[in-house]
Amino acid sequence: QVQLVESGGGLVQAGGSLRLSCAASGSTFRIGTMGWYRQAPGSQRELVASIYNSGSTNYADSVKGRFTISKDGAKNTVYLQMNSLKSEDTGVYYCNSRTAPIYGRRDYWGQGTQVTVSS
């Protein structure tokens, strides 16, 4: 089992910045990738950014150049730095961890944190 606890959401004006944090605990040695997803009202959950154990990253086209995902391996924590926020970035942001293939590619989710960008 992997437990994920998010923090850092809130209300910000367009053009502002926020940093989300996600602390993992439990069987963290099983984790292959961690990432952030978001879900706007009436929309499906979508991938925002992900980071592999190797450090390689992946971003949705809509956030490239504005968001940065990073991790602190010693703290088992992943961060999402969000700059130049837009109203369309509004939604609930969920931290995700996926176990490595040898452990079955199992997904774990945090409880979600609300990000609201006012225009």
Side-chain angles (χ1 to χ4, degrees):
Q1 292 278 0
V2 175
Q3 294 79 42
L4 303 171
V5 178
E6 303 133 334
S7 60
L11 173 64
V12 64
Q13 288 188 333
S17 298
L18 281 175
R19 189 175 85 151
L20 306 182
S21 300
C22 174
S25 61
S27 301
T28 57
F29 66 93
R30 296 174 181 262
I31 296 174
T33 65
M34 292 189 70
W36 290 93
Y37 287 69
R38 68 186 178 193
Q39 188 167 20
S43 299
Q44 291 187 332
R45 192 174 297 188
E46 62 176 359
L47 175 68
V48 176
S50 59
I51 186 165
Y52 292 81
N53 283 344
S54 64
S56 63
T57 58
N58 182 47
Y59 294 93
D61 288 342
S62 60
V63 307
K64 285 180 180 176
R66 300 188 297 122
F67 291 10
T68 303
I69 190 169
S70 62
K71 64 176 182 174
D72 183 333
K75 297 180 179 180
N76 291 314
T77 299
V78 66
Y79 305 96
L80 184 68
Q81 178 66 44
M82 305 186 291
N83 298 329
S84 302
L85 282 160
K86 305 175 181 180
S87 57
E88 52 262 45
D89 294 318
T90 294
V92 179
Y93 283 67
Y94 296 92
C95 181
N96 167 269
S97 70
R98 177 168 294 173
T99 60
I102 193 173
Y103 297 114
R105 295 181 186 269
R106 182 170 179 177
D107 283 314
Y108 294 90
W109 297 93
Q111 78 282 2
T113 185
Q114 177 71 43
V115 171
T116 303
V117 184
S118 63
S119 56

